[in-house]
């Protein structure tokens, strides 16, 4: 009956939570599934990295004492101060459970003044994320005392050992001193003395897995959105997707299957599939957390503004997660037809077209290019993923005019289009080009004798004279041969 009652009330001072071996990780519903009301919410989002939930409070005990704000915990364990009134603080193991699987375990409380409850959600964090002092001494206690060892040996039951260790931890974190008459005082003061003399523990390395950006929105037209970059100090994570399809490339030719591994360093693109709630994807890696790792309330419980900080008691395999939650929006399409005509068609350069849309869902813009040399005719360009209700205008900042093709006329109709989901909007951008005439080359000038008629005649006369002289010499030579 005591344990059942503890499950229904707030625990203001709970201790050890010992984490066990991880079981199968929780799986998201298939991408096309629609959750029924009894389904637990599927967690997606970067805030769920490493999430665990308070599951139960076993090994319940108590420690009688009080907090002394003037105490220096590193000066040794003092007698109970005169003027303080001792009170009983509840101690118990806080059993944690993987929020989306079956891994369970235990940790100690390091925040006496703040409560926690069944179902409170925690993320693994760094020591620097807390304001808790003396965590090096606390980590030393975790290594050398219950539940990692049988110490303190002088106490008979696990509940008593838990209470003594918790009281020693609270001494360093919350300046809590046991009453002189407490049966735990001898064991607790010995633990404190050991930790003061020997502690040198450094903060443990926390496994990290992140996706950037951490949120997104998807158009109902199915256009891919991305990239979403996976980073962290783990090797990879297993993908779970819900209401979306994840791809490894911007073209959407390499889909990632549910429960497929994705390496850290990958870039992902996402497509809308169905409007389930919640919608998104997450990556999960099963990794070992070192004892001394802290768990910090992540603020995901409605109406709960704070919960006590916990510290992991043993090296334990637990999940680290990162994901991206998405919202979807109803979207439509706009077809921009580029009409090219005229004698200079095909001689024009690149034509650039800008589509700018505004509406309640926000601004949308897209740049289009019609490549240089595109032939005469109509060339449709489809723009998709535009929020429904947006008013779109089209401009042509680069009209393609070149030294070979001049722009004769240009028009854009209509001036604006309102996007709907029922029909594709249409805009016609017309350009008529004229071929620029090729200039006639100037005649090449001449010089010397060939430049005048007189010189030409003289040259001709000389040529004939030379020819005649040659014939005469030939006749003389022939006559001499006959005489001889």
């Amino acid at each position: 009956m005591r344990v059942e009652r503890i499950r229904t009330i707030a625990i203001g001072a709970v201790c050890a939570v010992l984490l066990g071996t991880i079981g199968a990780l929780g799986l998201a519903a298939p991408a096309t599934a629609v959750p029924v009301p009894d389904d637990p919410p599927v967690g997606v989002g970067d805030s769920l990295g490493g999430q665990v939930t308070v599951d139960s409070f076993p090994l319940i005990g108590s420690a009688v004492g009080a907090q002394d704000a003037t105490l220096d915990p590193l000066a040794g364990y003092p007698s109970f101060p005169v003027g303080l009134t001792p009170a009983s603080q509840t101690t118990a193991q806080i059993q944690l459970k993987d929020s989306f699987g079956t891994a369970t375990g235990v940790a100690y409380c390091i925040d006496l003044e703040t409560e926690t409850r069944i179902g409170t959600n925690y993320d693994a964090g760094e020591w620097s994320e807390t304001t808790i002092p003396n965590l090096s001494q606390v980590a030393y206690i975790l290594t050398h005392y219950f539940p990692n060892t049988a110490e303190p040996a002088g106490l008979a039951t696990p509940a008593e050992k838990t209470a003594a260790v918790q009281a020693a931890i609270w001494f360093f974190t919350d300046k809590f001193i046991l009453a002189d008459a407490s049966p735990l005082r001898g064991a607790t003061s010995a633990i404190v003395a050991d930790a003061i003399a020997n502690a040198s523990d450094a903060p443990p390395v926390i496994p990290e897995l992140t996706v950037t950006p951490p949120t997104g929105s998807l158009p109902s037209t199915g256009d891919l959105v991305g990239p979403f970059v996976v980073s962290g100090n783990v090797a990879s994570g297993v993908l779970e997707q819900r209401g979306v399809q994840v791809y490894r490339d911007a073209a959407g030719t390499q889909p990632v299957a549910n429960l497929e591994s994705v390496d850290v360093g990958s870039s992902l693109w996402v497509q809308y599939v169905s409007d389930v709630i919640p919608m998104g994807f997450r990556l999960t890696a099963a990794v070992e957390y070192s004892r001394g790792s802290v768990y910090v309330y992540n603020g995901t419980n409605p109406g709960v503004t704070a919960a006590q900080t916990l510290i992991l008691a043993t090296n334990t395999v637990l999940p680290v997660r990162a994901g991206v939650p998405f919202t979807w929006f109803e979207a439509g399409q706009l077809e921009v037809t580029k009409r090219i005509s005229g004698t200079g068609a095909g001689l024009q350069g690149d034509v650039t077209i800008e589509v700018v849309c505004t509406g309640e869902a926000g601004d949308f813009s897209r740049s289009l290019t019609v490549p240089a040399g595109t032939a005469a005719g109509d060339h449709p360009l489809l723009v998709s993923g535009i929020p429904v209700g947006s008013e779109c205008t089209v401009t042509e900042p680069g009209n393609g005019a070149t030294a070979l093709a001049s722009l004769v006329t240009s028009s854009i109709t209509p001036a604006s289009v309102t996007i709907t989901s029922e029909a594709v909007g249409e805009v016609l951008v017309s350009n008529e080009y004229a071929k620029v005439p090729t200039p006639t080359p100037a005649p090449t000038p001449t010089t010397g004798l060939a430049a005048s008629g007189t010189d030409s005649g003289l040259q001709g006369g000389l040529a004939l004279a030379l020819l005649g002289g040659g014939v005469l010499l030939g006749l003389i030579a022939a006559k001499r041969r006959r005489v001889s």
Side-chain angles (χ1 to χ4, degrees), residues 183-218:
L184 304 175
R185 184 177 173 87
T188 297
S189 61
I191 295 172
V192 168
D194 184 18
I196 292 173
N198 299 298
S200 61
D201 296 62
V205 176
I206 301 301
E208 295 178 356
L209 184 63
T210 60
V211 181
T212 306
T215 61
S217 58
L218 298 173

Side-chain angles (χ1 to χ4, degrees), residues 48-53 98-100 121-123 298 300 319 321:
L48 299 185
Q51 188 186 72
V52 294
T53 301
D98 173 15
S99 300
F100 313 109
N121 298 323
Y122 287 83
D123 286 347
N298 62 21
T300 59
R321 293 188 177 90

Side-chain angles (χ1 to χ4, degrees), residues 340 345-350 370-376:
I340 297 174
L347 300 176
Q348 76 282 352
D350 286 346
V370 180
T374 299

Side-chain angles (χ1 to χ4, degrees), residues 21 29 84 175 213 222-223 227 372-373 378 394 413 428 437 470:
T21 304
L84 292 182
K175 300 182 178 181
D223 300 81
D378 288 353
V394 177
T413 55
L428 177 63

Side-chain angles (χ1 to χ4, degrees), residues 338-351 370-377 379 399-406 431-436:
K338 179 61 184 177
R339 177 171 293 171
I340 297 174
S341 62
T343 59
L347 300 176
Q348 76 282 352
D350 286 346
V351 176
V370 180
T374 299
H379 306 279
N399 60 31
T402 66
L404 301 177
S406 62
N431 283 1
E432 180 185 356
Y433 299 97
K435 182 178 180 180
V436 177

Side-chain angles (χ1 to χ4, degrees), residues 26-361:
L27 306 181
T32 56
V34 177
V36 296
D38 291 336
D39 281 351
V42 177
V44 290
D46 195 50
S47 65
L48 299 185
Q51 188 186 72
V52 294
T53 301
V54 174
D55 188 56
S56 64
F57 300 111
L59 295 182
I60 298 166
S62 64
V64 178
Q67 293 174 265
D68 180 3
T70 66
L71 173 69
D72 176 9
L74 301 183
Y77 206 87
S79 299
F80 190 79
V82 176
L84 292 182
T85 301
S88 179
Q89 300 288 349
T90 301
T91 62
Q93 285 188 350
I94 307 175
Q95 180 165 296
L96 301 179
K97 177 181 176 295
D98 173 15
S99 300
F100 313 109
T102 59
T104 60
V106 220
Y108 282 99
C109 164
I110 51 175
D111 185 5
L112 173 60
E113 295 183 337
T114 310
E115 69 178 27
T116 193
R117 296 173 180 264
I118 299 292
T120 304
N121 298 323
Y122 287 83
D123 286 347
E126 303 282 352
W127 282 8
S128 58
E129 294 180 46
T130 76
T131 57
I132 309 299
N134 304 315
L135 288 178
S136 179
Q137 285 73 25
V138 174
Y140 177 87
I141 293 172
L142 296 175
T143 299
H144 295 88
Y145 293 91
F146 186 83
N148 284 297
T149 73
E151 297 295 330
L155 299 176
T157 68
E160 290 173 334
K161 295 176 187 288
T162 293
V165 171
Q166 180 65 84
I169 290 173
W170 280 337
F171 176 78
F172 287 110
T173 62
D174 294 275
K175 300 182 178 181
F176 177 78
I177 307 171
L178 289 171
D180 291 337
S182 170
L184 304 175
R185 184 177 173 87
T188 297
S189 61
I191 295 172
V192 168
D194 184 18
I196 292 173
N198 299 298
S200 61
D201 296 62
V205 176
I206 301 301
E208 295 178 356
L209 184 63
T210 60
V211 181
T212 306
T215 61
S217 58
L218 298 173
S220 59
T221 45
D223 300 81
L224 269 66
V225 174
F228 293 87
V229 180
V230 182
S231 58
N233 60 8
V234 299
S236 61
V238 174
L239 177 75
E240 302 167 86
Q241 48 197 336
R242 182 180 176 84
V244 302
Q245 176 60 57
V246 177
Y247 295 88
R248 297 184 187 273
D249 65 319
T253 63
Q254 303 175 44
V256 185
N258 217 36
L259 305 186
E260 187 175 343
S261 180
V262 174
D263 292 339
V264 165
S266 298
S267 292
L268 303 174
W269 284 260
V270 185
Q271 181 183 46
Y272 167 86
V273 173
S274 62
D275 56 345
V276 296
I277 298 175
M279 173 195 303
F281 73 87
R282 72 176 177 219
L283 296 169
T284 301
V287 293
E288 184 173 81
Y289 287 80
S290 300
R291 61 178 168 266
S293 300
V294 296
Y295 276 84
V296 181
Y297 174 58
N298 62 21
T300 59
N301 293 87
V304 179
T305 59
Q308 62 185 234
T309 304
L310 308 177
I311 191 164
L312 193 60
T314 64
N315 294 345
T316 308
V317 176
L318 281 172
V320 56
R321 293 188 177 90
V324 180
F326 287 90
T327 56
W328 74 280
F329 60 91
E330 194 172 12
Q333 299 175 318
L334 175 68
E335 185 175 81
V336 179
T337 299
K338 179 61 184 177
R339 177 171 293 171
I340 297 174
S341 62
T343 59
L347 300 176
Q348 76 282 352
D350 286 346
V351 176
T352 56
I353 297 172
E354 295 289 335
V355 178
V356 176
C357 307
T358 58
E360 293 183 359

Side-chain angles (χ1 to χ4, degrees), residues 411-440:
S411 64
I412 300 175
T413 55
S416 65
V417 174
T418 300
I419 301 301
T420 70
S421 59
E422 290 77 23
V424 177
E426 296 181 350
V427 172
L428 177 63
V429 181
S430 298
N431 283 1
E432 180 185 356
Y433 299 97
K435 182 178 180 180
V436 177
T438 303
T440 303

